[in-house]
Amino acid sequence: MEIRELAERVLLADDLGEKLAPPPAGGLTDRRPGKAMGTLERPGRPEGLRFSRSGERSPLPSLRGPADDAERGQLLHFFANHELLAAELMALVLLRFPEAPLEFRRGVAKTLQEEQMHTRLYLRRLEECGVAFGSQPVNGFFWKAVSSMETPADYVSRLCLTFEQANLDYSRHFARLFKEAGDERTAKILDRIYRDEISHVSYGLEWFRRWKAPEDSDWSGFRRRLIFPLSPSRAKGGQLFNREGRRLAGLDEDFINQLEVYTQSKGRTPNVFYFNPQAEWEILRAVGGGDAAAAMPGSMRSLSEDLSALTLYLARQDDVVLMKHRPSLEFLQKLGRAGVPLPEIVECSAKEDLEGRKLGQLRPWAWSPDSNAFLASLVAQASLTESGWRPEWHELHSKEFSTRLGAEGGFGRGHVCHDERELRDALEAIGGAAVLKEPYGLAGRGLRFLGE
């Protein structure tokens, strides 16, 4: 049988038995790879397994494992669809790129047959559990994310190094859970698939390294190859992170370490956090209280650097934090291993990477002229940002405003003084030591201590 004939059958057949039938004895040849296939909206499938046009999709399986027969069936159905999708996408790559190296095509065809076998194993187990394949909505996200590939390098980056790499976490995790639940038969299937996934990731990594730019590390080349909504976050199972499986697949330690701490939202619209403790300095200059050409004081620059990690604790895991410099890998690993959910970190110099993405709130430390200017290019993408900086708001940052507000509310001991007489009256009312502050102070600069 020709590789093209097998690929057409797996990709286009509407009959499940035909899609999953192994090639006849005698092996595969590739003497007639044919012309390149164009884009394909969806693979051929029987009625119950077609992607829903209404957007209905099966829920993601719970990581706690099978609580009962219904959840066991849901998990097996979910896994079976993913294995079928992998086989269909491998068939697509064989038809899209007939001029790819013969060695590559033979490897894809071999892996395709393993994905067929994985699907058959799940279907047999589904039948034993009394669940019909097609009884639940199926998720076509894998297809949408991978089928638009333009080169074989896209294929190995998106399928082998992303979705199959993530299964290094999920297959091992669920094998353990099924075993703990007493379902040895399903656990053995997942153990088999886990071992195969190691070889699939290894195969993809081999070709990825051949095709990536020589100056790129594995990690930088991988990140560069993925296009939103795909990101390295899709290449792992969150807290299920399996370092051992990745080492066995041949991934280097830098790649594994970088992936461990990498985060990007997989669905929820992220809020964007930005730390700008120099806000009062910018407001002071805006109201004419400072030299517009003067540089920010060194103390404020140091504060910005030292405390910039605060936003990591304020943001949720799916949020974005803009930072001047990305924290060290070791620092992020310590946070992650301590249970701190890490948000997506984008360096300020790469802010344009967010352009075109749907965003929630823009949340600087304070709205001020500098944060308004810095975040301006993202405002149109932010669905929940109702305000930025407005010049008339400058007095909200003034100590004169807060002192009067405190007096009206019956709290606080501050006094607003405009001349020497008002100052003397205030000191007499206080009856002790006092601190004289400017309306727009900055990190304790310009304080004068008055007292006994």
Side-chain angles (χ1 to χ4, degrees):
M1 173 183 278
E2 280 287 302
I3 285 178
R4 184 178 186 90
E5 183 182 350
L6 172 66
E8 288 177 338
R9 191 175 69 185
V10 171
L11 181 62
L12 303 175
D14 291 330
D15 180 76
L16 194 58
E18 186 178 356
K19 289 175 79 71
L20 298 179
L28 294 169
T29 57
D30 199 24
R31 291 187 289 267
R32 297 187 298 277
K35 295 182 180 180
M37 174 181 280
T39 57
L40 189 67
E41 184 178 359
R42 61 179 62 84
R45 285 190 168 197
E47 181 65 34
L49 290 170
R50 294 175 186 170
F51 310 143
S52 173
R53 292 181 179 273
S54 64
E56 183 183 14
R57 55 188 295 178
S58 56
L60 293 174
S62 167
L63 296 182
R64 69 176 183 272
D68 51 33
D69 287 342
E71 289 199 357
R72 187 190 315 273
Q74 177 190 334
L75 284 165
L76 290 169
H77 197 284
F78 192 90
F79 297 157
N81 179 56
H82 282 192
E83 297 297 323
L84 178 59
L85 273 168
E88 291 165 335
L89 286 165
M90 290 170 190
L92 179 64
V93 77
L94 292 170
L95 297 171
R96 285 286 299 275
F97 308 113
E99 300 301 322
L102 177 59
E103 183 185 358
F104 170 76
R105 287 173 55 78
R106 284 175 174 167
V108 173
K110 177 180 179 294
T111 308
L112 183 156
Q113 293 172 69
E114 291 178 353
E115 301 294 356
Q116 286 180 300
M117 180 267 293
H118 294 168
T119 309
R120 292 195 300 268
L121 289 173
Y122 277 131
L123 295 192
R124 192 175 305 127
R125 190 73 187 106
L126 273 170
E127 184 178 357
E128 292 169 350
C129 294
V131 179
F133 193 35
S135 61
Q136 300 179 26
V138 292
N139 186 346
F141 178 75
F142 277 23
W143 176 265
K144 294 176 183 177
V146 181
S147 64
S148 60
M149 55 192 165
E150 296 180 356
T151 67
D154 288 337
Y155 161 77
V156 296
S157 301
R158 298 180 192 183
L159 188 62
C160 304
L161 294 185
T162 301
F163 293 118
E164 291 196 292
Q165 185 182 171
N167 209 24
L168 296 179
D169 300 327
Y170 291 118
S171 57
R172 190 179 73 160
H173 170 75
F174 282 106
R176 178 178 60 81
L177 292 186
F178 274 100
K179 188 171 184 178
E180 290 174 355
D183 188 345
E184 291 284 350
R185 299 192 66 177
T186 303
K188 287 181 179 178
I189 294 173
L190 283 158
D191 276 334
R192 168 65 185 273
I193 289 172
Y194 172 60
R195 293 192 299 271
D196 287 345
E197 292 290 23
I198 291 174
S199 66
H200 296 176
V201 174
S202 180
Y203 170 81
L205 180 62
E206 175 188 349
W207 285 96
F208 171 79
R209 285 172 171 166
R210 294 191 195 187
W211 288 326
K212 73 177 180 65
E215 66 273 14
D216 280 344
S217 67
D218 289 351
W219 174 251
S220 63
F222 177 58
R223 283 199 61 190
R224 196 188 319 278
R225 178 64 62 175
L226 298 184
I227 300 174
F228 186 83
L230 280 187
S231 80
S233 284
R234 298 276 182 184
K236 61 179 181 176
Q239 297 302 313
L240 309 179
F241 197 72
N242 172 11
R243 300 181 70 87
E244 176 190 5
R246 289 174 169 84
R247 290 190 183 112
L248 291 172
L251 293 163
D252 62 43
E253 287 299 307
D254 178 67
F255 187 105
I256 295 170
N257 289 333
Q258 296 286 356
L259 179 61
E260 182 183 13
V261 300
Y262 186 90
T263 303
Q264 187 178 94
S265 174
K266 295 181 181 179
R268 186 181 69 82
T269 302
N271 297 322
V272 178
F273 289 76
Y274 171 57
F275 186 62
N276 61 315
Q278 71 276 14
E280 287 190 343
W281 168 258
E282 299 293 342
I283 293 168
L284 176 63
R285 295 203 299 172
V287 299
D291 183 354
M296 184 174 67
S299 60
M300 288 305 302
R301 288 196 298 271
S302 297
L303 182 66
S304 296
E305 293 288 333
D306 293 344
L307 299 182
S308 60
L310 283 174
T311 43
L312 297 178
Y313 302 94
L314 298 176
R316 292 186 291 177
Q317 187 167 25
D318 288 338
D319 287 332
V320 173
V321 169
L322 289 165
M323 302 182 72
K324 184 176 181 180
H325 299 294
R326 184 178 178 86
S328 71
L329 179 62
E330 293 74 19
F331 177 73
L332 294 175
Q333 285 179 316
K334 286 180 180 178
L335 290 185
R337 292 168 186 176
V340 177
L342 295 175
E344 178 183 358
I345 300 171
V346 175
E347 291 192 339
C348 294
S349 59
K351 175 169 58 77
E352 65 274 7
D353 290 350
L354 296 177
E355 294 178 7
R357 288 175 55 180
K358 182 180 178 182
L359 305 174
Q361 289 182 319
L362 302 181
R363 300 184 64 178
W365 190 257
W367 279 112
S368 57
D370 64 304
S371 61
N372 199 68
F374 181 72
L375 297 173
S377 62
L378 302 178
V379 168
Q381 301 162 226
S383 58
L384 300 176
T385 297
E386 298 177 355
S387 59
W389 166 252
R390 298 180 186 176
E392 62 267 26
W393 288 355
H394 69 85
E395 68 170 330
L396 299 178
H397 293 262
S398 167
K399 294 178 180 63
E400 183 173 347
F401 170 80
S402 57
T403 299
R404 286 174 172 161
L405 186 66
E408 293 173 4
F411 57 89
R413 298 181 59 196
H415 295 263
V416 176
C417 305
H418 296 96
D419 52 38
E420 185 176 348
R421 180 184 61 79
E422 290 183 351
L423 176 59
R424 290 182 181 279
D425 290 344
L427 289 173
E428 183 177 347
I430 292 171
V435 179
L436 184 63
K437 300 181 180 181
E438 296 180 358
Y440 293 92
L442 183 68
R445 292 168 59 86
L447 299 183
R448 297 180 64 183
F449 294 88
L450 309 174
E452 301 171 348

